[in-house]
Amino acid sequence: MPYSVQIDIERVIGADKVAMLSDDDNDGVADASVVAEAIDWGDRLINSYASGKYAVPFAPSTPAEIADRSAELAAYWLYRRRQNRDETVQK
């Protein structure tokens, strides 16, 4: 189970930014698969650091701090993905 969900990312950067950064089919709506990939990336990063000290994944309930970091990391991934994509198009 993921540590965060789309609405958590929207609380960090806003729903409009989530849609803009993940809308690969240009329909004005966030693409769920892209958002899920962002969350998965963040969760794997959290697990890689936390596994040295804690049992991961955090279950059955995710600490609020972990959910917050997951959303922040997913937002970062979305921004980086869009930046890399735009740089490729400009070349």
Side-chain angles (χ1 to χ4, degrees):
M1 176 171 231
Y3 296 146
S4 64
V5 294
Q6 181 173 330
I7 195 155
D8 297 323
I9 305 168
E10 292 172 352
R11 286 186 193 120
V12 173
I13 61 172
D16 56 334
K17 288 282 187 192
V18 173
M20 180 190 74
L21 295 169
S22 66
D23 182 18
D24 286 354
D25 57 9
N26 296 316
D27 64 357
V29 178
D31 291 354
S33 62
V34 174
V35 172
E37 189 175 351
I39 292 168
D40 182 62
W41 179 85
D43 291 357
R44 286 185 288 115
L45 187 62
I46 290 168
N47 287 343
S48 72
Y49 281 97
S51 65
K53 188 170 183 177
Y54 303 99
V56 293
F58 296 97
S61 64
T62 302
E65 295 83 5
I66 298 298
D68 291 345
R69 296 306 78 77
S70 171
E72 291 166 356
L73 287 166
Y76 169 80
W77 186 91
L78 289 171
Y79 274 109
R80 291 290 301 171
R81 174 182 176 273
R82 181 59 65 179
Q83 179 184 10
N84 290 341
R85 186 174 169 188
D86 290 346
E87 288 173 359
T88 302
V89 170
Q90 290 175 358
K91 289 181 181 179

